[in-house]
Amino acid sequence: MGDLFQPMHLLVIGLIVIVLFGGKKLPELGKGLGEGLRGFKAGLKGVEEDDSDEKKKKEELEAKAYQEAKLAAEAKIAAEARLAAEQKAQNEVVIK
């Protein structure tokens, strides 16, 4: 199997292709093959971009959720501090 693609074998295969398809069809076949490969590469690139877009959206949502949780925790702490201050003030009023 290793001796299959020697220069002489490739030359014979090339001659057979020219005889089968003719000289005029070969450029069209090459162009079609090139366009097909380009389309395939573009398709793969599009799939990779879709994955990166989804990853960015997920990261943005996580960051937003973190910020909202942080703000809620700060609001809770502030409310508890205000409540404690009010209770302390009421206790001081009652004692006096």
Side-chain angles (χ1 to χ4, degrees):
M1 187 77 172
D3 297 332
L4 184 63
F5 294 109
Q6 291 183 357
M8 192 62 175
H9 291 149
L10 294 175
L11 184 63
V12 170
I13 291 172
L15 288 172
I16 291 172
V17 168
I18 289 174
V19 169
L20 287 176
F21 296 108
K24 293 181 180 179
K25 288 280 185 177
L26 286 179
E28 293 174 16
L29 290 173
K31 181 179 177 185
L33 182 63
E35 289 174 354
L37 288 174
R38 240 179 274 122
F40 181 73
K41 286 181 182 179
L44 286 178
K45 187 175 183 181
V47 169
E48 292 172 359
E49 289 175 355
D50 290 343
D51 290 343
S52 65
D53 289 344
E54 290 176 10
K55 187 176 180 180
K56 285 181 182 178
K57 285 181 181 179
K58 183 179 177 183
E59 290 174 353
E60 289 174 358
L61 287 174
E62 288 176 352
K64 185 177 179 182
Y66 174 76
Q67 289 295 330
E68 290 175 356
K70 185 177 177 183
L71 289 174
E74 289 173 355
K76 182 179 177 185
I77 291 170
E80 289 174 351
R82 190 177 331 112
L83 182 62
E86 289 174 0
Q87 287 178 351
K88 184 177 179 183
Q90 285 178 354
N91 287 339
E92 287 178 1
V93 170
V94 171
I95 293 175
K96 290 182 180 182

